[in-house]
Amino acid sequence: MARRYWFDALILAVLGIGLTGAVLGRNHIDGPEGPLWFDLLAMLAIVLPLLARRRFPFGAPAAVGVAAALTSFVDKTVVPFDGVTFIVGCAALFLVGSLRDRSQAVAGFAVAEGVLAVVVHNDPKSGLGNFIVASIIFTVV
């Protein structure tokens, strides 16, 4: 049983870290700027789709990216704030990359790059360098 659900436990632990960061980062200079209720719901929307990865092997990781991109339009700093969403994005990209259908893996990488471009564009403190470094990391993953 532990072998089957260890990744789910890890996802929930990362969710706890993300929720804690959204609450405690409110007074931080680069912290989340949106309403607290939105930032908490955004963390839930970004992390929890990974729990559906067995039933939706492509859709669940893609939903992570879509949630992150849409969230960055409302609160520009919650996605890049504490790195939790980057780790979740890397996990989603790994899951998509391990699919048997290579066309889905390539499409997942394209979705990830698009999401990265949107998030970096919406973040007031990001630039081209952040996009390039994150793209290299995504390529390795």
Side-chain angles (χ1 to χ4, degrees):
M1 180 112 142
R3 278 187 160 161
R4 182 169 168 88
Y5 295 108
W6 70 270
F7 193 70
D8 295 333
L10 188 62
I11 290 169
L12 292 176
V14 168
L15 175 64
I17 294 169
L19 292 173
T20 304
V23 171
L24 297 179
R26 312 237 24 104
N27 298 325
H28 194 271
I29 291 174
D30 297 329
E33 299 171 349
L36 180 60
W37 65 268
F38 177 80
D39 292 341
L40 294 177
L41 288 177
M43 277 296 150
L44 291 172
I46 292 169
V47 178
L48 288 181
L50 287 182
L51 293 176
R53 71 190 180 284
R54 289 185 188 98
R55 187 170 179 101
F56 305 104
F58 181 80
V64 168
V66 170
L70 292 177
T71 297
S72 72
F73 285 107
V74 177
D75 186 353
K76 299 172 183 348
T77 57
V78 72
V79 175
F81 172 60
D82 60 0
V84 167
T85 54
F86 185 76
I87 292 170
V88 170
C90 287
L93 194 56
F94 179 80
L95 291 171
V96 167
S98 64
L99 293 174
R100 291 181 190 252
D101 186 3
R102 285 293 135 208
S103 62
Q104 284 185 336
V106 171
F109 182 73
V111 168
E113 286 296 310
V115 167
L116 178 62
V118 168
V119 170
V120 168
H121 179 267
N122 288 341
D123 183 14
K125 299 198 190 266
S126 267
L128 182 62
N130 290 11
F131 178 78
I132 291 171
V133 170
S135 292
I136 291 170
I137 293 170
F138 281 178
T139 302
V140 170
V141 170

